Amino acid sequence: MYYRLPQFEYLRPNDLHQALETIREGDWKPLAGGTDLLLDMKNGRQSPKKIIDISRLSELRYVRTNDSRVLIGGGSRLQELLENVIVKEKLPLLSSAIYEMASWQIRNIATIAGNLCNASPAADSAPPLLVHGARVKLISSSGSRTVPLSEFFLGPRKTVLSNNELMGEIDVPLLEGYYYRYYKIGRRHAFTLSVVSMAIAVKIENGIFSDVRIAMGSVAPKPVRALNVEKELIGKEAKTVEITKAIDLVSEDISPISDVRASAEYRMKVTKFLLKESLQESLKYFWK
Amino acid sequence: MSSFDLERLMNKWLNAEEFYVVGKRIERADTLDKALGKAKFIEDYYTNDMLFIKQVTSRYPHARIASIDESEAKKVRGFVANFTARNIPGENQVGYSLPDQPLLAERKVRYVGEPVSLVVARDFEAAIEAANQIKISYEPLPHILDPLEAKSRVDVLIHEEAGSNIAFRTKARKGDVEKGFSESHVVIENVYRTSQQDHVYLETEAAIAIPGLEGKLTILSPSQHPHLTQRIVSRVLGLPASSIRVVVPYLGGGFGGKDDEGPLISAKAALVAYLTGRPAFIEYSREESFAIHPKREATVIRYKSGADTDGRLKAIEVEIVHDTGAYANRGPFILWRATMHASGPYFVPNAKVDGYCIYTNKVYQGSFRGFGNPSVQFAAESQMDLLAEKLGMDPLDIRLKNILTPGSTTITGQVLDTSVGVKEALESVASKAGWRDKWKTYSTYNGRFRKGIGIGVAWHGISTSRGVPDWSAGTVKIEPDGSVSVLVGIVEIGQGSPTSSHRQIVAEVLGAPLDMVHVYFGTTDAPDTGATHASRGTGVGAIGVYVASIELRERLNSFAAKLLNTEPEDVVIHDGIVSSRRDPSKSIGWKEFIKKAYNSGVNTTASGYFFLPKGKFDDEAGQGFAYISYSYMVVISEVEVDTETGIIKVLRVYPAISAGKIINPIQVEGQIEGGFVQGMGLALMEELKFNEKGEIMNRDLTDYVIPTSLDAPEIEKPIFIEDRFKYGPLGAKGVGEMALIPAPASIANAVSHAIGKRVTELALTPEKVLKLLEKG
Ligand SMILES: Cc1cc2nc3c(=O)[nH]c(=O)nc-3n(C[C@H](O)[C@H](O)[C@H](O)COP(=O)(O)OP(=O)(O)OC[C@H]3O[C@@H](n4cnc5c(N)ncnc54)[C@H](O)[C@@H]3O)c2cc1C
């Protein structure tokens, strides 16, 4: 009650079409769950003049699947995704990440597009989606374009999204036969922002790393893939020596900073350890 | 009643063996309202005709106030006034122990966040807007943030009139420490550090002041001591105390923070109501609460201890430095308590303890559950483990060898009487925890995940220290229908003393049915019962209603004797049935009995009062009477440490408490669980971070983290050693702070055991664990 929201114009369109028509012109700021945006407005970090409330657009709330992908409507609530069987069965990394996000109350209003569009380096849904090579569909009244999530983020709170666009859908290609591991290291055991988060998917065929996908949060200006580590490993023998060699390259993939949550040094140390542990475990997983 | 009669009757009840409500797992009176969301907290009483107050606070750690310009603020629609120190009709001086603190900054500011003026507007939006438009110009002064630096510098003075940055000094002396160390076989010396801690009560500070209600200025106040608030408001406004009524509704936690900030926020609301003649409302946002209200002090403790070959303590030499921040507030009392408890609950023949309370340009410190004791028990208990290690002893044995027992002498030369159950508590909880086995087994673990087990033993003096007066008072009134109204100044702050233990004590002593006993709490309409702090809500706070009930019961017994044709000693009143022990066939029901009493001239109201007898302390000699009695607490913690990430999990905790008679086990279990977890926060994750201006960087709940339920360990059912205290109601001592005090010590000892490196600094974040592990 005692934080002042700045004055703004407010509109709640009835359907997606009307929403897209509205934002065609003028500087409209979408409001979904508001669990990032309203906080920013209350503490003065953002003060949009025009708010378009998209939280009730049912067209943006769905999960669909076919053999090769899962399509998630951007307006889906995190709790809905957590309880969704498709997500649970086909996207275990995302499911684990959401399980550790916020609290039940927040997850019931927070949306997945909000998490991505807010573009926090600590956005917890990003690393799993980056591992899957997800693409996001940005829609406007004149059509839509699809952008790989890895190109969607530009930096802290910066994305390629234009004023006249909404994030309509997240298109998540399925991975088959992978070892998965998700980590969230925070300052307590629950309900806390990540100090380091990591999602990893590994495939080993004939004793060779045929695919390695690693993505991390809170260790760079935006959620990132550890491409140098991945490249170093792919095609190599699935052996500890290779893992040890590759892990050090992560310092070229990430650039952690020191802040009130943790020091850069700690983030780097823990990242390397998590890489070592998960890659090591992937060897065991495929060896069985 | 003469004081002789009173002592005789208190003794009779002290030795009572059979109870029908006391000691039982009784549900408290406020449970349902709270569970249903019907219970009202201060904000719930806000109505939109109230003026809204917003504080303008300092942006500088140390500066002279050159001017305050309100011309832009005046243009804001809805703006009513901007009040500064100059508008205060009475005294601006609100320093608790030293006259060093203004309600609103005058001439100088001493920390970032210090309140300078109160902007008043018709609604909160206008208040916030207008507050932003107040332009204060400052002439910055050099500032000091480090207490050790502040202690030695005189070129920068935070309080010029003090002549140094040392706000207060304390000492305790016993025997000859040089001799003690020369007789020691092992000597250990270390420096321990702990960090500031915020109370993070669910409900931030809020107050409503209403002028002219029945001719009085009425304040709905978040105080832990309504009468103290009345006193301070009276001083600030220059009005008689009797024209100010303070009512404390349900509070969403306090932990000491509202003992300090409660009176001040009330004075702010009262000032505005008084000057404008209109009801006024103030509430701190979480960020304001962090920035403004006093914290638990950060400490630096140098501790040297020596023991002989048998592990008997020979001497301790301790220097305690408390960073009190910008104002002394209760710092001198907190330091005093730390100093007197520096030995831990052990017999030490030679002791030299010096304390320094140091000003710095940071948010000031104040009361917080444990009151200076958790940090010094952490140091003392770490030393015990280190001595044991050097001597090749089990940490349990070295403690048992030195533990206080009835008749022991403390480091101030005070001889303890009978209520000293700590040895039994330690022995029984160590056996329940399986200490000896686990201590040996865990020492052999050396994989990635290490386990450790640690003991923390603590003592905590009850009531005020030395000769500082402390009393209890309360009124008990039996209504004509047999229901009982109890009036006390103790507040309901989540702990439940007025809604459980007070009711149980009154019901037990009167013999009335429990559900007929109703407590009016937290109000200056009751006699001054003292504060709801220092674990005294029941142990001291209920003595008044206990004594009143004893007196009423005597009258009821005499009257019943007449009705039943027997002697007063023979009367039994049990759960609303009045009968004769000699002839149980004769009995009468409570309601009828009270009706008869009313019609027969029995006075059914009594006011109870008890002044706790105290002794003298010689400040020069550092010797004398410190506390009337002590509660004791033992916790044994088991932890698991991930040596790769540094993450600590507290797995299981075994508590034991000797706090006299346990009036309500559920409430005590709640206090032990909550207290431990809050202490675990201090041990593992809670710390304020300051930037170079002394501004708190993590002043919200995103970045100031406290434990959640998923961080909480399994806390075993506590062991109760009921070492009854002769002046406590039915022998009760204090519980509220107890589990917090040894929690950091037990966790730090367990982690040290797990990783084989000594923890000397809290908060023990994963980063610090990794750094310790890297140390050779
Ligand atoms: C107590 C608490 C705990 C939290 N814990 C976590 C956590 O553990 N991990 C974590 O990652 N985050 C956490 N968050 C942050 C937040 O809840 C998430 O980022 C959430 O997913 C944001 O979604 P939203 O719908 O509330 O977004 P909003 O606040 O409504 O919007 C966020 C941003 O995205 C934009 N936006 C939203 N939807 C769209 C769309 N469809 N198209 C275009 N732009 C859009 C908005 O304009 C805004 O800029 C927490 C927040 C709180 C308050």
Side-chain angles (χ1 to χ4, degrees):
Chain A
M1 175 177 182
Y2 307 107
Y3 301 84
R4 182 167 177 266
L5 274 182
Q7 293 274 325
F8 52 84
E9 206 177 309
Y10 174 87
L11 200 110
R12 196 176 74 220
N14 293 323
D15 56 37
L16 184 58
H17 175 76
Q18 197 191 348
L20 294 174
E21 281 304 311
T22 308
I23 63 171
R24 212 157 71 145
E25 273 161 30
D27 212 359
W28 289 91
K29 184 79 184 159
L31 171 78
T35 61
D36 279 316
L37 182 58
L38 288 178
L39 266 60
D40 273 5
M41 288 169 67
K42 283 173 180 171
N43 66 26
R45 205 160 14 176
Q46 290 194 59
S47 38
K49 294 279 168 289
K50 295 161 130 190
I51 295 277
I52 180 158
D53 182 346
I54 58 167
S55 64
R56 301 197 196 175
L57 298 182
S58 52
E59 300 99 310
L60 295 179
R61 287 170 82 165
Y62 56 85
V63 177
R64 292 188 202 114
T65 185
N66 60 31
D67 286 348
S68 65
R69 54 214 328 110
V70 175
L71 303 174
I72 301 174
S76 305
R77 308 293 191 263
L78 294 175
Q79 188 64 23
E80 285 167 3
L81 297 177
L82 191 59
E83 289 166 12
N84 185 287
V85 277
I86 299 171
V87 174
K88 191 177 276 170
E89 280 168 15
K90 301 198 171 183
L91 305 175
L93 284 176
L94 182 64
S95 189
S96 308
I98 296 175
Y99 178 76
E100 293 202 34
M101 282 172 82
S103 60
W104 178 83
Q105 290 90 335
I106 298 284
R107 288 195 302 266
N108 267 306
I109 49 171
T111 63
I112 189 157
N115 190 239
L116 298 172
C117 294
N118 189 55
S120 156
D124 283 327
S125 70
L129 294 172
L130 285 170
V131 159
H132 279 270
R135 297 150 63 85
V136 291
K137 192 164 153 197
L138 308 180
I139 51 178
S140 68
S141 63
S142 52
S144 72
R145 57 179 176 139
T146 301
V147 180
L149 184 61
S150 55
E151 291 168 24
F152 176 75
F153 300 117
L154 296 175
R157 314 249 162 182
K158 288 205 189 75
T159 69
V160 301
L161 194 76
S162 305
N163 278 345
N164 63 348
E165 289 175 318
L166 291 178
M167 180 182 283
E169 186 177 275
I170 301 125
D171 172 351
V172 196
L174 295 178
L175 300 174
E176 288 288 342
Y178 280 72
Y179 159 83
Y180 296 116
R181 184 78 195 248
Y182 177 78
Y183 293 101
K184 174 167 172 170
I185 305 284
R187 288 161 298 167
R188 60 183 171 205
H189 293 109
F191 197 39
T192 184
L193 294 185
S194 303
V195 164
V196 173
S197 69
M198 186 184 290
I200 186 161
V202 179
K203 193 168 198 172
I204 297 175
E205 287 165 308
N206 308 319
I208 303 288
F209 281 114
S210 59
D211 197 10
V212 177
R213 297 159 174 241
I214 303 160
M216 282 171 283
S218 302
V219 289
K222 53 184 185 172
V224 287
R225 285 275 289 262
L227 295 172
N228 286 295
V229 180
E230 294 177 4
K231 235 183 272 157
E232 177 68 20
L233 284 171
I234 294 171
K236 295 277 163 58
E237 270 189 273
K239 287 208 164 122
T240 305
V241 278
E242 300 297 340
I243 293 173
T244 314
K245 255 195 284 172
I247 284 170
D248 279 333
L249 295 178
V250 79
S251 51
E252 286 161 39
D253 291 313
I254 64 175
S255 49
I257 55 161
S258 293
D259 59 21
V260 291
R261 291 169 205 166
S263 71
E265 195 193 341
Y266 178 77
R267 289 184 156 109
M268 184 60 89
K269 214 182 289 174
V270 168
T271 301
K272 286 185 178 172
F273 169 72
L274 299 180
L275 279 174
K276 183 173 100 183
E277 183 185 58
S278 53
L279 289 167
Q280 223 38 74
E281 274 185 15
S282 75
L283 301 185
K284 278 188 235 152
Y285 177 86
F286 286 101
W287 190 72
K288 66 180 181 216
Chain B
M1 215 170 0
S2 77
S3 62
F4 171 77
D5 280 347
L6 181 58
E7 281 227 37
R8 181 180 58 81
L9 290 169
M10 280 171 85
N11 256 326
K12 185 180 100 187
W13 283 99
L14 177 67
N15 296 317
E17 287 302 335
E18 268 173 47
F19 303 97
Y20 76 93
V21 275
V22 160
K24 304 284 184 318
R25 304 177 72 85
I26 300 291
E27 186 183 304
R28 47 197 272 185
D30 50 346
T31 307
L32 202 58
D33 273 358
K34 285 184 173 169
L36 295 175
K38 283 188 184 166
K40 283 189 169 191
F41 296 81
I42 291 172
E43 183 190 278
D44 299 321
Y45 294 96
Y46 171 77
T47 55
N48 57 13
D49 59 335
M50 292 178 184
L51 294 176
F52 197 92
I53 306 166
K54 170 83 183 165
Q55 303 179 79
V56 181
T57 59
S58 166
R59 289 167 202 267
Y60 288 85
H62 198 193
R64 253 181 263 290
I65 302 170
S67 65
I68 302 176
D69 175 5
E70 53 185 63
S71 53
E72 287 303 308
K74 278 185 170 153
K75 295 180 190 158
V76 175
R77 248 181 86 131
F79 171 86
V80 173
N82 176 47
F83 296 129
T84 66
R86 267 181 296 169
N87 300 98
I88 291 177
E91 288 173 41
N92 190 21
Q93 182 50 247
V94 292
Y96 184 85
S97 57
L98 301 174
D100 66 353
Q101 186 186 342
L103 179 67
L104 295 172
E106 217 170 331
R107 293 190 293 278
K108 224 166 96 152
V109 289
R110 296 182 177 87
Y111 71 96
V112 175
E114 176 162 9
V116 180
S117 83
L118 305 174
V119 168
V120 186
R122 279 202 289 272
D123 58 59
F124 83 92
E125 299 222 340
I128 292 171
E129 171 72 24
N132 282 335
Q133 299 300 332
I134 300 285
K135 304 281 181 297
I136 305 177
S137 58
Y138 294 97
E139 293 159 13
L141 295 165
H143 63 278
I144 314 184
L145 301 179
D146 180 64
L148 297 182
E149 185 191 338
K151 184 169 170 241
S152 60
R153 278 180 71 172
V154 286
D155 57 323
V156 177
L157 290 178
I158 293 158
H159 293 269
E160 289 81 0
E161 68 284 2
S164 93
N165 293 316
I166 302 174
F168 196 73
R169 297 180 58 157
T170 52
K171 68 176 182 190
R173 295 285 185 274
K174 184 182 184 186
D176 176 354
V177 287
E178 291 314 317
K179 185 167 150 279
F181 286 121
S182 70
E183 289 166 7
S184 297
H185 178 66
V186 289
V187 173
I188 302 274
E189 186 169 357
N190 261 314
V191 177
Y192 298 89
R193 286 168 197 271
T194 63
S195 166
Q196 280 92 352
Q197 186 180 22
D198 191 282
H199 309 77
V200 195
Y201 10 77
L202 264 182
E203 182 196 26
T204 59
E205 300 84 347
I208 290 171
I210 305 161
L213 205 68
E214 298 163 10
K216 288 187 174 176
L217 177 63
T218 300
I219 306 164
L220 287 188
S221 163
S223 299
Q224 293 182 225
H225 186 182
H227 292 80
L228 170 67
T229 295
Q230 183 185 48
R231 207 146 69 224
I232 289 181
V233 172
S234 134
R235 194 198 300 162
V236 169
L237 299 185
L239 293 177
S242 56
S243 68
I244 292 151
R245 168 188 278 161
V246 177
V247 179
V248 182
Y250 288 137
L251 295 185
F255 313 113
K258 288 176 184 168
D259 208 12
D260 291 323
E261 197 62 26
L264 305 189
I265 188 176
S266 302
K268 291 168 193 170
L271 177 68
V272 172
Y274 177 75
L275 293 175
T276 61
R278 294 176 54 184
F281 175 63
I282 179 168
E283 181 166 49
Y284 297 2
S285 67
R286 180 62 67 185
E287 289 78 358
E288 285 174 316
S289 176
F290 266 103
I292 296 169
H293 88 254
K295 306 292 181 271
R296 186 193 298 288
E297 67 290 341
T299 71
V300 183
I301 300 171
R302 180 177 293 281
Y303 206 121
K304 184 176 167 188
S305 23
D308 66 14
T309 43
D310 292 339
R312 242 174 266 283
L313 290 168
K314 298 306 282 181
I316 58 165
E317 187 172 351
V318 189
E319 186 191 272
I320 303 168
V321 173
H322 282 182
D323 179 353
T324 193
Y327 296 104
N329 187 27
R330 295 189 202 231
F333 292 101
I334 295 168
L335 183 67
W336 209 89
R337 191 169 270 271
T339 305
M340 300 311 140
H341 288 83
S343 60
Y346 304 110
F347 173 73
V348 184
N350 304 290
K352 177 171 184 282
V353 188
D354 288 285
Y356 299 87
C357 178
I358 308 293
Y359 289 124
T360 59
N361 290 112
K362 297 198 294 261
V363 61
Y364 64 113
Q365 58 84 67
S367 319
F368 196 142
R369 205 177 199 175
F371 211 69
N373 207 1
S375 48
V376 82
Q377 300 302 305
F378 157 58
E381 285 294 87
S382 301
Q383 292 285 109
M384 291 305 273
D385 270 22
L386 286 166
L387 288 170
E389 191 182 317
K390 267 213 169 166
L391 289 164
M393 284 176 80
D394 181 325
L396 174 62
D397 291 327
I398 193 169
R399 285 176 170 83
L400 287 172
K401 214 158 231 161
N402 294 285
I403 201 95
L404 294 172
T405 51
S408 295
T409 313
T410 68
I411 56 167
T412 64
Q414 187 184 342
V415 181
L416 297 173
D417 69 1
T418 51
S419 178
V420 187
V422 61
K423 183 159 189 247
E424 209 183 326
L426 178 56
E427 280 168 340
S428 46
V429 79
S431 111
K432 179 171 176 179
W435 168 269
R436 290 193 194 275
D437 263 4
K438 287 177 181 165
W439 168 256
K440 287 206 200 88
T441 323
Y442 295 171
S443 303
T444 63
Y445 289 16
N446 58 7
R448 170 180 169 192
F449 292 98
R450 310 269 172 85
K451 271 192 170 184
I453 186 164
I455 305 181
V457 190
W459 61 330
H460 199 61
I462 64 171
S463 177
T464 47
S465 57
R466 301 164 274 182
V468 178
D470 194 15
W471 64 83
S472 184
T475 300
V476 179
K477 185 166 109 209
I478 307 174
E479 309 289 356
D481 66 353
S483 63
V484 181
S485 301
V486 180
L487 260 141
V488 279
I490 293 302
V491 308
E492 198 335 84
I493 199 161
Q495 90 288 24
S497 25
T499 53
S500 63
S501 62
H502 287 222
R503 292 175 64 235
Q504 285 168 271
I505 290 163
V506 171
E508 187 75 51
V509 174
L510 293 181
L514 179 71
D515 59 7
M516 295 191 82
V517 180
H518 303 271
V519 178
Y520 295 81
F521 53 82
T523 161
T524 49
D525 292 350
D528 186 352
T529 318
T532 307
H533 68 193
S535 308
R536 76 188 283 294
T538 296
V540 177
I543 307 178
V545 296
Y546 172 57
V547 166
S549 304
I550 288 177
E551 189 172 337
L552 275 179
R553 176 63 189 265
E554 289 302 299
R555 290 182 211 153
L556 296 182
N557 277 7
S558 302
F559 179 59
K562 277 185 217 150
L563 290 183
L564 300 171
N565 205 3
T566 179
E567 298 302 313
E569 299 75 59
D570 210 42
V571 171
V572 180
I573 311 181
H574 184 99
D575 201 4
I577 309 287
V578 185
S579 62
S580 152
R581 195 171 286 127
R582 229 179 281 158
D583 180 4
S585 67
K586 283 197 224 156
S587 76
I588 172 169
W590 176 258
K591 285 187 180 176
E592 196 194 333
F593 175 59
I594 295 303
K595 204 160 136 197
K596 287 204 158 87
Y598 261 84
N599 294 334
S600 314
V602 178
N603 178 359
T604 51
T605 300
S607 251
Y609 178 83
F610 189 76
F611 191 78
L612 284 107
K614 296 285 176 77
K616 283 219 167 62
F617 189 86
D618 180 343
D619 286 315
E620 274 309 301
Q623 276 283 302
F625 174 97
Y627 297 95
I628 190 165
S629 188
Y630 296 81
S631 282
Y632 302 88
M633 182 88 209
V634 185
V635 286
I636 293 182
S637 301
E638 287 187 56
V639 303
E640 180 183 82
V641 183
D642 180 344
T643 55
E644 294 289 355
T645 60
I647 291 173
I648 297 166
K649 250 195 219 153
V650 181
L651 301 171
R652 192 171 292 278
V653 175
Y654 302 87
I657 186 165
S658 18
K661 180 73 195 161
I662 299 299
I663 307 292
N664 188 329
I666 309 182
Q667 293 307 116
V668 175
E669 285 163 19
Q671 288 300 310
I672 286 177
E673 288 168 12
F676 183 86
V677 173
Q678 201 164 32
M680 184 179 94
L682 176 66
L684 298 183
M685 62 186 82
E686 295 185 45
E687 51 185 342
L688 288 180
K689 305 235 164 127
F690 295 90
N691 66 14
E692 66 291 343
K693 277 173 66 190
E695 184 178 15
I696 304 170
M697 288 150 72
N698 50 342
R699 57 174 182 275
D700 58 35
L701 297 180
T702 307
D703 282 322
Y704 184 89
V705 287
I706 61 170
T708 65
S709 54
L710 288 179
D711 296 277
E714 282 298 322
I715 299 176
E716 296 288 328
K717 280 253 161 19
I719 294 173
F720 298 136
I721 305 297
E722 296 193 309
D723 52 351
R724 294 187 199 180
F725 162 52
K726 61 183 175 203
Y727 300 125
L730 299 160
K733 294 192 278 186
V735 169
E737 297 162 282
M738 292 311 297
L740 191 150
I741 299 168
S746 76
I747 294 169
N749 281 341
V751 172
S752 302
H753 180 222
I755 64 175
K757 303 275 157 91
R758 178 50 45 181
V759 174
T760 55
E761 201 178 318
L762 306 179
L764 190 51
T765 57
E767 269 193 91
K768 287 198 196 130
V769 173
L770 292 192
K771 289 228 172 77
L772 279 174
L773 283 164
E774 280 162 18
K775 274 212 302 213

